[in-house]
Amino acid sequence: MCRREEKPDGLFDYDSGMKDDELLEKLWEDENAPLTDSDIDDQNQYLLKQQQNFRIAADYVTSALVQFRDVKRVVLFGSVAKSLVKEIPRFRKYRREGIAVWHECKDVDLAVWVDDLSCLNELRKATSGALNKLLDEKNIGVAHHQVDIFIMEPGTDRHLGNLCRYGTCPKGKIDCNVPVCGEPPFLQQHENFILDPEALETGKYILLYER
């Protein structure tokens, strides 16, 4: 069986039978090899494709959520909703050489206005089902933890908390110890987190649905 080992900067290597010193030497050579134009182009194409896949995921999740009459509005915000800009990324080789590539989208941010918070568990299940459907139909894998759903209060636009991803509430995790987390069930609170109101200013989001 392959043994998966996490490497620096999120890289993974699969055991090919090499001795430890040989594996370390190969990793050192790969890490210090100069970047080519092809490497940079591949990285840029990957980052653009990642944003596109997240955008499709937002549509799939929205289609599932709006089946519930208590969902009044859904907007996409954050980096997936914007034109990407180039920047020096977190990847070590790019930082070392000062090479800018497209911004890396790490998750999908959806703001969802909900009338009745008693339906949150159903919304959680619908989100999970939408991502499974996306994988089945489009072969696009987006992990559940890569979709953040911000629950908003209709009329006031107040951020109430985030949709919890755990299958039970409370789950008994450290996250669950944040004051009023899970009140009501599946409404997650993050300690010391306040949603920046500028994130939902006109021009910074894409309206996906409004009832």
Side-chain angles (χ1 to χ4, degrees):
M1 179 180 294
C2 286
R3 176 168 56 86
R4 192 185 192 201
E5 295 182 345
E6 188 166 356
K7 303 300 179 183
D9 278 354
L11 299 174
F12 293 91
D13 203 301
Y14 289 85
D15 191 357
S16 60
M18 289 190 296
K19 296 180 181 179
D20 288 345
D21 56 348
E22 293 173 333
L23 178 59
L24 288 172
E25 182 177 355
K26 181 178 184 302
L27 288 171
W28 179 257
E29 290 175 353
D30 291 345
E31 176 64 23
N32 287 276
L35 288 165
T36 66
D37 289 343
S38 178
D39 292 333
I40 298 167
D41 183 62
D42 287 346
Q43 184 65 40
N44 276 318
Q45 292 303 314
Y46 167 78
L47 293 169
L48 289 171
K49 185 66 174 179
Q50 186 177 47
Q51 185 194 39
Q52 180 184 356
N53 287 345
F54 280 159
R55 181 66 178 81
I56 297 171
D59 288 335
Y60 265 66
V61 171
T62 298
S63 294
L65 296 181
V66 302
Q67 302 304 311
F68 298 85
R69 60 181 177 81
D70 292 308
V71 172
K72 303 302 182 185
R73 191 170 189 249
V74 182
V75 307
L76 173 68
F77 68 103
S79 60
V80 180
K82 303 175 183 176
S83 297
L84 297 183
V85 297
K86 288 192 174 181
E87 60 190 16
I88 305 296
R90 61 184 174 88
F91 315 121
R92 182 179 301 157
K93 293 177 73 171
Y94 289 82
R95 291 202 312 268
R96 184 180 62 224
E97 298 187 29
I99 295 174
V101 292
W102 294 120
H103 173 80
E104 178 189 16
C105 297
K106 297 180 180 179
D107 52 25
V108 181
D109 292 324
L110 291 173
V112 180
W113 281 254
V114 182
D115 263 345
D116 184 356
L117 299 183
S118 67
C119 70
L120 293 183
N121 192 29
E122 285 73 21
L123 298 184
R124 178 191 66 80
K125 293 177 182 178
T127 300
S128 177
L131 295 177
N132 292 337
K133 182 180 179 181
L134 174 65
L135 182 60
D136 290 340
E137 294 185 352
K138 300 287 189 181
N139 198 30
I140 295 175
V142 175
H144 295 190
H145 71 266
Q146 290 179 301
V147 178
D148 281 330
I149 296 181
F150 297 74
I151 303 299
M152 313 297 292
E153 185 176 57
T156 67
D157 294 341
R158 183 166 64 98
H159 175 227
L160 302 176
N162 283 40
L163 185 64
C164 185
R165 304 184 189 96
Y166 296 133
T168 58
C169 182
K171 180 68 173 178
K173 301 285 188 178
I174 294 178
D175 299 348
C176 304
N177 295 330
V178 177
V180 305
C181 188
E183 299 178 13
F186 298 99
L187 185 64
Q188 185 178 37
Q189 304 296 336
H190 296 291
E191 192 168 11
N192 299 322
F193 175 79
I194 298 176
L195 179 62
D196 184 356
E198 293 184 0
L200 295 174
E201 288 182 346
T202 302
K204 294 185 178 181
Y205 66 83
I206 298 173
L207 178 64
L208 299 182
Y209 176 81
E210 190 156 31
R211 195 177 295 280

